[in-house]
Amino acid sequence: MEQAEDLSQYPLELTGKNVPMVRFKKVAKRYGSLTVLEHLDLDVAEGEMVTIIGPSGSGKTTVLRTLMTLERINEGVIYVDGKPLTHMEKDGKLVPASQKYLRAMRSKIGMCFQHFNLFPHMTALENCMEGPVHVLGIPRKQARERSEELLEMVGMADKRDQHPSRLSGGQQQRVAIARALAMRPKVMLFDEVTSALDPEVIGEVTNVIRRLVSDYNLTMLMVTHQMGFARDISDRVCFFYRGRIEEQAPPSELFGDPKSDRTRQFLSAVKEAV
Amino acid sequence: MSYFEFLVAHGDLLLSGTLVTAMLAAVSIALAIVLALTAGLMRLAPAGPVRWVATVYIEFFRGTSLLVQLYWIFFVLPLFGLSLDKFTAGFIGVGMNLGAYGAELVRGAILSVPKGQWEAALAINMSPLTRMRRIILPQALVIMLPPWGNLLIELLKGTALVSLISVADLTFQAKQINATTFMSAKAFGTALIIYYVMARFIITPLMRWLERSMARKLGRA
């Protein structure tokens, strides 16, 4: 057993001006003896688009997975919208979040996966309606209208009655984005959403994400290997190395004039691969 | 006596036996499905005691002989004050036995639904119950249908054992006819054919149809 952490050092909620939409405070995540996140501090402001890059195994995806509550953290606290996500208040103290509390907080977050993970037994439209109808309890007719709008927005309206097995990877990913948006999250997470796609369809997915950035006031966290895309879409780019942020800066700065040797090495290695 | 004359003379017994077998199989199948689903889900429960109850049930009914289980239900339970009529004892025995096998199919199928499906359901904030009902079970069903086809055929053939607690099923009637006429080949031969026809031309096509309509639901057909 690891020693219980003193949680009193963390505030019960974030107050004051400029409360970030997402805050990682000294977050550690370990798998056995392997440390994936090493006391990570990361803030994401409301409406900000932050991209995470870095070598594999640097903890990029774990940031998203802990924020989606797919993984528990070992130390630290994650805050979303000013309130703790991984913990909750009890008798004026922070304690690990209950399932019920997690469900309430999780509704603020949406996620898209590398392998889409659409529900194969449902059509594109049904995939988008599933959450609104069976989780939020929105009337079918209303959920349907909203889902159709979203499918229209991602350019999949004409395929709404197709099952995922009949759609290409790019089409499935666009439906998956619509499915996540249908839950009206405040924070959207994109976990290598173009990594499983054929090169010629990557553009149709990145174009949808571009639209989200320009038309929606969403806070977004994205893990990607598309450096060009990260460069022209992000407000800020974080270079991860061994579970920590090695360097973070606006994209022009991080790509144009990286301060850290490790960042430089990584960027030049990526450039060579292209 | 020609085979035709044999059928005319004993057809009514064989027919009534067939009906009893079919009915017993149908009720047993219903019981086996309910038990398999319940025990299979219980095996995946977070709470230890819930899992243990299911494990004991599965271990006991898979690990001991169906015939002895039938004897227990029919001859021993009355000693503890629980008397069941032959037919009820028969279908409970067969249903519980095959339900134990089915539970492992249910459990295996649920666990083989890809992890990404569980995570996607969590990402749209589904409760564990809704996730199981709406996302996981429908996909697990597709995975487990083919092995269930085998299991149901096993169950049909297993029902022959209820003749030993004198349920008047197909096997029981064939034995009766054999005892009175000594026409063993005709009596048991006919029974064999009837079992085969029920398995091959009723259960198998039914399962194929189910598999096809499930595949259509997945948009694969």
Side-chain angles (χ1 to χ4, degrees):
Chain A
M1 273 308 280
E2 65 186 85
Q3 214 173 340
E5 187 192 8
D6 176 22
L7 288 166
S8 64
Q9 60 182 305
Y10 303 102
L12 297 176
E13 60 182 305
L14 307 179
T15 49
K17 262 194 246 171
N18 302 326
V19 169
M21 181 54 82
V22 173
R23 166 168 286 175
F24 281 69
K25 192 73 201 154
K26 285 170 74 175
V27 171
K29 171 69 187 171
R30 286 184 280 272
Y31 297 102
S33 61
L34 177 74
T35 300
V36 191
L37 296 181
E38 174 111 53
H39 295 122
L40 172 73
D41 287 317
L42 170 66
D43 278 10
V44 183
E46 185 170 2
E48 196 182 13
M49 167 57 133
V50 172
T51 300
I52 298 174
I53 61 170
S56 67
S58 59
K60 312 182 292 285
T61 288
T62 307
V63 172
L64 303 193
R65 293 179 60 83
T66 53
L67 189 49
M68 190 67 253
T69 69
L70 295 170
E71 318 255 358
R72 291 240 168 191
I73 58 176
N74 299 96
E75 277 173 47
V77 177
I78 302 176
Y79 296 87
V80 172
D81 208 5
K83 286 165 76 180
L85 165 79
T86 49
H87 297 73
M88 60 182 188
E89 187 191 332
K90 196 182 169 195
D91 304 328
K93 281 191 290 197
L94 284 181
V95 296
S98 67
Q99 286 302 323
K100 195 177 157 207
Y101 182 81
L102 278 178
R103 279 205 73 203
M105 287 300 291
R106 204 186 276 135
S107 64
K108 298 173 195 274
I109 307 163
M111 182 164 180
C112 292
F113 300 87
Q114 181 176 358
H115 297 288
F116 336 125
N117 301 348
L118 289 179
F119 305 132
H121 53 305
M122 300 178 189
T123 64
L125 182 64
E126 287 164 349
N127 262 279
C128 296
M129 290 171 61
E130 185 64 18
V133 172
H134 292 279
V135 178
L136 303 178
I138 293 173
R140 287 196 78 82
K141 188 169 165 289
Q142 218 175 312
R144 191 189 172 91
E145 280 167 13
R146 163 95 178 135
S147 298
E148 280 172 348
E149 268 169 41
L150 285 167
L151 285 174
E152 179 83 50
M153 196 272 289
V154 299
M156 290 295 296
D158 55 328
K159 301 273 187 192
R160 65 180 187 192
D161 294 323
Q162 297 286 345
H163 281 83
S165 56
R166 294 289 177 86
L167 302 176
S168 73
Q171 292 172 330
Q172 289 188 58
Q173 195 59 285
R174 284 186 282 153
V175 174
I177 293 172
R179 175 177 69 179
L181 290 175
M183 299 300 289
R184 297 182 182 277
K186 291 186 160 183
V187 183
M188 270 289 278
L189 312 177
F190 296 98
D191 185 14
E192 300 195 27
V193 287
T194 55
S195 295
L197 299 180
D198 291 331
E200 73 271 20
V201 300
I202 287 177
E204 58 188 64
V205 172
T206 52
N207 282 338
V208 168
I209 298 175
R210 274 176 222 274
R211 277 200 65 181
L212 294 187
V213 171
S214 62
D215 299 359
Y216 287 69
N217 185 33
L218 273 167
T219 305
M220 294 190 249
L221 257 170
M222 176 169 82
V223 170
T224 187
H225 295 292
Q226 302 281 117
M227 295 303 152
F229 180 52
R231 185 171 191 152
D232 52 60
I233 199 175
S234 317
D235 297 313
R236 179 160 46 115
V237 180
C238 299
F239 173 69
F240 264 64
Y241 189 82
R242 295 203 176 156
R244 291 184 309 104
I245 299 176
E246 174 78 17
E247 182 171 356
Q248 54 179 324
S252 56
E253 206 176 299
L254 190 123
F255 289 110
D257 179 26
K259 301 281 179 291
S260 152
D261 285 343
R262 289 190 183 122
T263 316
R264 260 197 298 278
Q265 268 168 20
F266 174 76
L267 289 176
S268 70
V270 170
K271 211 173 271 168
E272 271 165 37
V274 171
Chain B
M1 193 190 243
S2 74
Y3 187 59
F4 182 71
E5 286 164 326
F6 170 84
L7 281 185
V8 170
H10 304 291
D12 53 342
L13 278 185
L14 287 168
L15 184 67
S16 91
T18 304
L19 286 177
V20 169
T21 290
M23 243 156 62
L24 193 115
V27 195
S28 304
I29 286 172
L31 179 66
I33 290 173
V34 171
L35 286 174
L37 212 56
T38 312
L41 286 169
M42 282 169 71
R43 284 269 284 169
L44 296 166
V50 178
R51 281 201 309 275
W52 302 332
V53 170
T55 305
V56 167
Y57 159 67
I58 292 167
E59 285 301 312
F60 178 78
F61 278 91
R62 276 204 322 178
T64 61
S65 142
L66 171 56
L67 182 57
V68 181
Q69 288 162 20
L70 285 169
Y71 284 161
W72 252 85
I73 292 168
F74 189 62
F75 295 116
V76 182
L77 284 189
L79 305 180
F80 296 99
L82 183 65
S83 292
L84 298 168
D85 68 80
K86 295 177 288 201
F87 185 87
T88 311
F91 90 74
I92 286 180
V94 175
M96 289 192 85
N97 184 275
L98 274 296
Y101 286 91
E104 288 299 275
L105 295 185
V106 170
R107 177 175 161 273
I110 287 173
L111 289 179
S112 58
V113 172
K115 194 165 147 252
Q117 291 293 310
W118 300 73
E119 294 185 346
L122 190 88
I124 59 167
N125 210 7
M126 272 192 175
S127 67
L129 202 69
T130 311
R131 170 168 71 179
M132 187 54 78
R133 190 172 57 86
R134 300 277 317 163
I135 307 299
I136 305 301
L137 273 183
Q139 295 182 60
L141 192 59
V142 180
I143 297 169
M144 68 176 131
L145 268 181
W148 265 101
N150 279 329
L151 194 64
L152 295 190
I153 290 171
E154 279 303 315
L155 182 147
L156 173 70
K157 294 183 294 188
T159 60
L161 290 176
V162 301
S163 64
L164 294 169
I165 55 169
S166 45
V167 175
D169 77 328
L170 177 57
T171 303
F172 182 87
Q173 300 295 15
K175 269 164 54 186
Q176 293 291 93
I177 297 165
N178 177 54
T180 51
T181 64
F182 302 107
M183 288 188 280
S184 309
K186 287 195 179 82
F188 292 124
T190 311
L192 279 184
I193 290 166
I194 295 174
Y195 278 116
Y196 179 75
V197 168
M198 287 201 278
R200 181 65 185 78
F201 297 103
I202 298 174
I203 294 183
T204 304
L206 198 73
M207 295 307 288
R208 287 275 153 73
W209 174 80
L210 268 175
E211 281 170 38
R212 267 202 313 276
S213 69
M214 285 293 157
R216 246 199 315 279
K217 275 213 173 123
L218 288 182
R220 285 199 196 129

